[in-house]
Amino acid sequence: MAAFVDQLRAGPSLEEAGALWKLALEGLADKAVSTRVNYVSRYRTEIKAALGEDSIYLPLAVAPDAWVREVQGAQVARVATLAELTPVPRWREIVERARDLLQSPDPLDVGIGLIVLTGRRPLEVFSVGDFQRVQLNQGPGRAFSRWAVMFAGQAKTRGAEGSRAGQAFMIPTLAPAGEVVEAFARLRQAETAASDLTVAAGDVRRIRWADMTAEDFKRAFSDRGLLRQQMPTHFAALMPEGAGTTAHTFRALYAELAFEHFAKGRFTKNSFFAAILGHTAKDLETSFAYMKFAVPEHPDDGDMALDTATTRRDVLRKRIFDRLEEVGLLEIGDVHGEGDDPAVSSAWSKELLAVTEAPALEPEEPGEAACYLAYGGGPGLG
């Protein structure tokens, strides 16, 4: 791997680099397909670290389509077998622990809480991302969505055209949106949210996390194992054995909890995962990689048994849906960008708000829905 990167440092033509990459792939022939795909990701990480996020060689360093399809097929088969999904019986405690971390004086803990509650990647939370409240009306007496935020700053991923890098899009949160946005603001303002990095021989500088490049962040966080050391102290005792406590683990758990609470019966699971994790509607297969967990249902637990009130919830959802049109929510524009992808249109915003705010409502007389949009109780999460 190091030898391959060194060859790229020499500046070969794209044709020459393509031939070198073909040789590198041939060297993985004796490994399992899933292992080969993992090695490709490692190659890409090394290229980014050595040559930058915008290296002209990154589009070449990808896994063959046949490998990706085989791995995705195995993921789909695993998801189709419910027994292979890991139950997370202590999910409530995990959410509450993450909410507690939002109030921590340690910015690292605040960021960990945000990772768990929003499903964003560490680089997005600590450095390149941004969270904003979603305003539901215009003029005085502003009302905001309680369970959704606007997220921008998605980190570039392999094949950035398959993600929403450069776009803002709405996501549900596992804690009240106000808590999330306030904690994020404190994280970005904290003087201690910084690390010492060597920028040149003998020159060590303290760089704020929010000002770091992807390479800086890797050296400050990944190479030093900050999250690997800290996250288990908060969650190892709450997660099932073998499930892990990595950011990727909690990104998958976030998606599962968000689906169970907000979207079950309204969206297909893979399309909802794709939308909230920042994949496009044309890249639904990637969502299967995050379908790892099952949330145990407790029929006697009113906080979780949303399906026991399906009819009432549907009525409330329609009322909110109509109210969002009445207050002109769609006038905020198509914040997700142009194109024919329905998952990144303003219609997605409207649908998401309808399903996230509906469980917060109590029975009310017609016309009262608007006042509950910002202040209702949560769907078993708070």
Side-chain angles (χ1 to χ4, degrees), residues 122-207:
L123 176 63
E124 295 164 349
V125 167
F126 289 102
S127 184
V128 302
D130 183 49
F131 298 98
Q132 297 291 334
R133 296 297 302 271
V134 177
Q135 187 172 333
L136 298 179
N137 60 351
Q138 308 294 326
R142 292 184 301 171
F144 296 91
S145 170
R146 189 174 181 187
W147 297 98
V149 297
M150 195 66 69
F151 169 71
Q154 177 169 315
K156 290 184 179 180
T157 55
R158 179 174 64 86
E161 68 280 357
S163 71
R164 296 192 200 157
Q167 299 174 342
F169 56 101
M170 197 179 294
I171 62 170
T173 56
L174 302 185
E179 291 183 19
V180 168
V181 173
E182 190 275 336
F184 177 75
R186 283 192 294 105
L187 169 63
R188 288 302 170 88
Q189 295 165 6
E191 294 183 1
T192 54
S195 296
D196 293 329
L197 287 179
T198 301
V199 296
D203 186 4
V204 177
R205 297 181 187 175
R206 191 155 186 80
I207 303 176

Side-chain angles (χ1 to χ4, degrees), residues 240-318:
E241 183 177 356
T245 54
T246 66
H248 183 84
T249 296
F250 289 109
R251 186 165 160 84
L253 181 59
Y254 156 82
E256 185 66 33
L257 287 172
F259 178 77
E260 287 292 330
H261 282 288
F262 299 128
K264 197 171 185 179
R266 285 295 172 190
F267 294 88
T268 62
K269 193 169 189 177
N270 64 334
S271 66
F272 186 76
F273 273 39
I276 67 174
L277 294 179
H279 311 146
T280 68
K282 297 177 182 178
D283 186 29
L284 298 180
E285 293 85 356
T286 303
S287 63
F288 286 112
Y290 291 94
M291 294 182 189
K292 300 179 178 182
F293 300 112
V295 179
E297 294 184 6
H298 303 283
D300 297 328
D301 189 339
D303 283 340
M304 186 61 186
L306 298 180
D307 288 342
T308 61
T310 300
T311 301
R312 170 176 165 272
R313 187 168 182 243
D314 285 353
V315 171
L316 294 175
R317 177 183 175 278
K318 184 180 185 304

Side-chain angles (χ1 to χ4, degrees), residues 61-176:
V62 296
D65 288 344
W67 294 7
V68 175
R69 283 195 297 270
E70 184 171 341
V71 170
Q72 290 174 341
Q75 292 169 343
V76 172
R78 174 181 55 77
V79 171
T81 306
L82 188 61
E84 293 190 15
L85 300 180
T86 302
V88 186
R90 302 182 69 178
W91 64 268
R92 289 182 189 279
E93 295 173 75
I94 292 169
V95 170
E96 288 304 315
R97 179 70 54 83
R99 288 183 66 180
D100 288 343
L101 291 178
L102 296 186
Q103 309 305 320
S104 172
D106 183 347
L108 183 62
D109 281 346
V110 174
I112 289 172
L114 290 170
I115 288 170
V116 175
L117 296 170
T118 69
R120 300 310 101 185
R121 301 178 179 89
L123 176 63
E124 295 164 349
V125 167
F126 289 102
S127 184
V128 302
D130 183 49
F131 298 98
Q132 297 291 334
R133 296 297 302 271
V134 177
Q135 187 172 333
L136 298 179
N137 60 351
Q138 308 294 326
R142 292 184 301 171
F144 296 91
S145 170
R146 189 174 181 187
W147 297 98
V149 297
M150 195 66 69
F151 169 71
Q154 177 169 315
K156 290 184 179 180
T157 55
R158 179 174 64 86
E161 68 280 357
S163 71
R164 296 192 200 157
Q167 299 174 342
F169 56 101
M170 197 179 294
I171 62 170
T173 56
L174 302 185

